[in-house]
Amino acid sequence: MGRTRIYLAGWAMLAIAGTGAAQTFHPDIPRAWDDKEVERFEVPLAQRDRSPRYLTAAEYYALKVRTIYRCYPAYVDGKEPPGYIESLKQKEPEIIFDASKLRTREDWIRAGKVVFEAENSFSPARPGGTRIPPGVSVHVSSEGVILGFIPGFSYIVRKKGVLEVGSNSCAGCHTRFMPDGSFLEGAQSNLVGLLAAAKLREKAPIPDTVRWIRDTQWILFGAPWVTKREEFEKSITLEELVRRHTAFQPSVFARQGTSSTHPPKIPSLIGIEEIRYLDSTGLVRHRSVGDLMRYAIVNTGLDTLAHFGDFQPSAVGSGFSGEAGTRFSDEQLYALALYIYSLKPPPNPNLPDERARRGQRIFHQQGCDGCHTPPLYTNNKLTPAPGFKVPEYLRQTDDIMNVSVGTDPTLATQTRRGTGFYKVPSLRGVWYRNAFGHNGQADTLEEWFDPARLQPDYVPKGFHLGPGPIKGHAFGLKLAPDDRQALNAYLKTL
């Protein structure tokens, strides 16, 4: 049970308090929202004059700091202990992040785990208790407790007598359910897409749903320099949105600023301390712990308040952007960053054998190490999307390749996160991931290296709205079948 969010959040601060014997740690906490740093931590958008202008530091720090409260387990129907809901309503709110109690580096990392798991959007709990939406499978303990980091399936008490459910934690998109029933924090989630579809169906009977959907979709994905709002809204019907969400596969999620027709795969956060660009499109320059803190700020909703030229997605923030009018403290963000940097991959069951060693030789012979350079298995560079002309000024500031691998350019050039580039991804940990390609169209490595995926009538096993090729990265597709299998065997040892 120690791997589930509901218990970790409860005992993390107790563990923090018991580490006084260790060496005292003096954290060097950068100012997260520094005006000069904010100006240069992102790569400009493909249409440079639409690059986001965020809140100033003065405006940002005027926001109230979020308080992180303890959460409590939810049960499947029929398993709740008698009087459980009423007992929760009698509890006093319990704050579980307190920077004044942190003494060692390990304390800060454990506190960062609390931030990672903390929900920051809230809604009233259902009077009748938890109800699992149709089509959603959950992991349940023998006592009936819903396990894991599934948004909306834990209770939070922020005010005595008022019971809420939460969503929008980092853990919600970056925790993977492993085959042995454990949870791997920081890894690519494999349940988010199913939840998105279920939630949309749940909202379908609500009056004025289509208007709500169109407004929400515009806040999340609108880019008027690409598509005018009138044209955008014509394509948004309830039936079309259900079609798009039904097409989502585990590990693919249309986060704000991307596209519901070309959603990105969810990245793994394990090992990102050495990764120099964040997001599929290399949007964020990852030069320091401060940049990771800024990345967390933007991705918990500040980007919906930004101005993209004369366009602001929302003047008040979207319903997906966390508790309105609040922010994380720099101490919370620093702890979060240290926790993310501390994440380690699980033991790899794929030990090197003769076939994998043969695959390693093929990897080098084919020149794969030019882009996927050991030991990181990425060269930490950007590759231009097809049709994007690289501005000369960017060559002075960024690591840019002269080669485009032919990936579909939509995400990189037609969205609010579109820089005109894709980053070269790391191949570490591909054995426990799925959703390959920037849009997660290939579900497995075997599919990624299947030459059939380039055919015009191909039906992807990952995200797809219809038949069509999985474009880009044709390297390795001309290998003999035995050589492709050997290459895959090697990649799974990384």
Side-chain angles (χ1 to χ4, degrees):
M1 303 295 284
R3 296 190 182 203
T4 65
R5 93 180 281 291
I6 51 183
Y7 306 107
L8 287 168
W11 58 252
M13 291 309 296
L14 295 177
I16 288 169
T19 59
Q23 185 175 2
T24 300
F25 174 62
H26 300 285
D28 183 14
I29 303 175
R31 184 174 170 83
W33 208 248
D34 177 85
D35 287 330
K36 290 184 179 179
E37 292 299 326
V38 169
E39 285 181 5
R40 51 185 185 235
F41 92 108
E42 289 188 344
V43 174
L45 297 191
Q47 188 167 325
R48 190 182 184 189
D49 64 349
R50 293 293 181 156
S51 298
R53 300 191 317 277
Y54 294 107
L55 295 178
T56 66
E59 292 168 331
Y60 174 77
Y61 284 107
L63 299 175
K64 179 184 176 183
V65 172
R66 290 173 188 161
T67 302
I68 299 177
Y69 296 97
R70 184 180 178 187
C71 58
Y72 300 89
Y75 293 80
V76 294
D77 293 342
K79 291 287 187 176
E80 262 175 14
Y84 178 65
I85 298 297
E86 288 304 315
S87 71
L88 293 181
K89 292 179 180 178
Q90 300 308 310
K91 290 185 178 294
E92 297 287 346
E94 183 180 344
I95 298 172
I96 58 172
F97 183 98
D98 184 350
S100 69
K101 296 181 179 180
L102 308 181
R103 299 290 181 266
T104 68
R105 184 180 182 88
E106 290 70 26
D107 290 347
W108 280 90
I109 289 172
R110 279 187 284 268
K113 184 179 181 69
V114 169
V115 180
F116 185 82
E117 297 169 359
E119 311 290 11
N120 57 75
S121 285
F122 307 98
S123 57
R126 293 180 70 252
T130 302
R131 182 177 66 82
I132 301 172
V136 176
S137 60
V138 296
H139 292 243
V140 180
S141 76
S142 57
E143 297 84 13
V145 174
I146 300 173
L147 304 179
F149 302 84
I150 304 170
F153 291 152
S154 61
Y155 295 119
I156 297 170
V157 177
R158 297 189 297 158
K159 180 180 179 181
K160 186 175 181 179
V162 179
L163 197 59
E164 297 175 298
V165 293
S167 61
N168 206 40
S169 69
C170 302
C173 287
H174 298 288
T175 299
R176 190 170 185 87
F177 296 87
M178 302 298 282
D180 64 358
S182 64
F183 301 99
L184 180 58
E185 279 204 336
Q188 177 190 63
S189 175
N190 49 2
L191 191 59
V192 172
L194 297 177
L195 283 169
K199 286 187 174 182
L200 185 64
R201 293 191 187 95
E202 188 176 288
K203 292 180 182 296
I206 299 174
D208 300 323
T209 293
V210 173
R211 181 71 266 161
W212 175 86
I213 287 174
R214 285 173 174 165
D215 290 342
T216 302
Q217 291 288 301
W218 185 247
I219 290 171
L220 292 176
F221 309 121
W225 61 96
V226 176
T227 305
K228 299 299 182 183
R229 181 162 187 168
E230 181 179 358
E231 182 181 348
F232 178 92
E233 289 194 349
K234 285 180 180 178
S235 68
I236 303 299
T237 63
L238 181 60
E239 293 76 14
E240 173 60 17
L241 262 294
V242 169
R243 184 178 82 94
R244 294 180 190 180
H245 282 267
T246 302
F248 285 153
Q249 300 292 318
S251 307
V252 175
F253 185 61
R255 70 192 310 177
Q256 76 271 17
T258 62
S259 166
S260 61
T261 59
H262 292 76
K265 67 182 179 186
I266 298 170
S268 172
L269 302 180
I270 297 173
I272 70 165
E273 185 172 8
E274 300 168 299
I275 301 302
R276 298 280 70 87
Y277 292 97
L278 306 179
D279 254 36
S280 291
T281 59
L283 177 65
V284 170
R285 298 173 174 124
H286 184 204
R287 306 157 300 174
S288 66
V289 68
D291 285 335
L292 183 57
M293 293 163 66
R294 284 179 274 277
Y295 184 60
I297 291 170
V298 168
N299 282 310
T300 51
L302 199 73
D303 53 346
T304 62
L305 293 170
H307 287 82
F308 298 79
D310 59 356
F311 170 61
Q312 184 183 31
S314 174
V316 295
S318 75
F320 299 84
S321 63
E323 189 180 2
T326 66
R327 62 175 176 87
F328 286 118
S329 70
D330 285 356
E331 291 80 9
Q332 290 169 341
L333 292 165
Y334 181 75
L336 172 64
L338 290 187
Y339 173 65
I340 291 173
Y341 284 166
S342 77
L343 295 170
K344 304 296 181 186
N348 191 336
N350 303 297
L351 301 179
D353 56 16
E354 184 53 40
R355 185 172 67 162
R357 285 188 284 272
R358 179 166 156 251
Q360 184 177 20
R361 293 192 293 271
I362 293 170
F363 182 83
H364 294 296
Q365 290 166 0
Q366 293 292 311
C368 304
D369 52 358
C371 292
H372 300 286
T373 311
L376 302 180
Y377 290 90
T378 174
N379 59 11
N380 265 325
K381 294 184 178 182
L382 302 174
T383 177
F388 178 66
K389 184 178 180 180
V390 181
E392 285 303 315
Y393 71 88
L394 282 181
R395 296 189 185 277
Q396 308 302 315
T397 58
D398 292 277
D399 291 325
I400 298 170
M401 300 177 64
N402 292 321
V403 177
S404 175
V405 298
T407 305
D408 185 291
T410 303
L411 184 62
T413 60
Q414 305 294 307
T415 71
R416 300 199 310 250
R417 292 177 184 254
T419 60
F421 300 103
Y422 290 109
K423 72 175 182 182
V424 176
S426 171
L427 300 180
R428 293 181 301 182
V430 294
W431 67 270
Y432 61 82
R433 291 195 264 131
N434 66 305
F436 294 94
H438 293 295
N439 293 127
Q441 291 178 285
D443 189 52
T444 63
L445 274 179
E446 287 74 17
E447 183 179 11
W448 184 249
F449 284 107
D450 183 354
R453 72 170 171 83
L454 297 181
Q455 297 301 314
D457 58 349
Y458 182 73
V459 179
K461 296 179 177 63
F463 175 84
H464 63 281
L465 290 172
I470 302 177
K471 298 178 181 179
H473 197 284
F475 305 108
L477 298 186
K478 293 183 180 180
L479 292 171
D482 287 350
D483 288 343
R484 291 202 303 271
Q485 292 173 10
L487 178 60
N488 280 335
Y490 169 62
L491 295 178
K492 290 179 181 180
T493 66
L494 301 180

